[in-house]
Amino acid sequence: MRKMGFSRRSLPDSCPDCYTVADFCKDHPRGLYVLAVNNHVVCVQDGDWFDTWDSGDEIPAYYWSKE
């Protein structure tokens, strides 16, 4: 991911079990991100997530953002 211009970022630790992919999308209405969830990744672009299933309730562990 680094070779493609992404930087790895941590998520706030204030509520690690309740901050969902849907919450991340609301907080990040602009930009390109890749979220790491349980053995899976989710693409987020401009506040919308793209996945093969509805992963909005999943809990991301960390994310990559495009600079």
Side-chain angles (χ1 to χ4, degrees), residues 12-55:
D13 198 28
S14 58
C15 187
D17 295 331
C18 66
Y19 190 73
T20 65
V21 169
D23 294 329
F24 183 93
C25 290
K26 289 177 193 171
D27 291 345
H28 298 84
R30 296 279 179 251
L32 179 61
Y33 307 91
V34 177
L35 279 60
V37 298
N38 190 19
N39 296 319
H40 189 68
V41 293
V42 180
C43 177
V44 173
Q45 185 173 15
D46 295 335
D48 294 315
W49 71 86
F50 298 90
D51 204 344
T52 57
W53 52 284
D54 185 358
S55 55

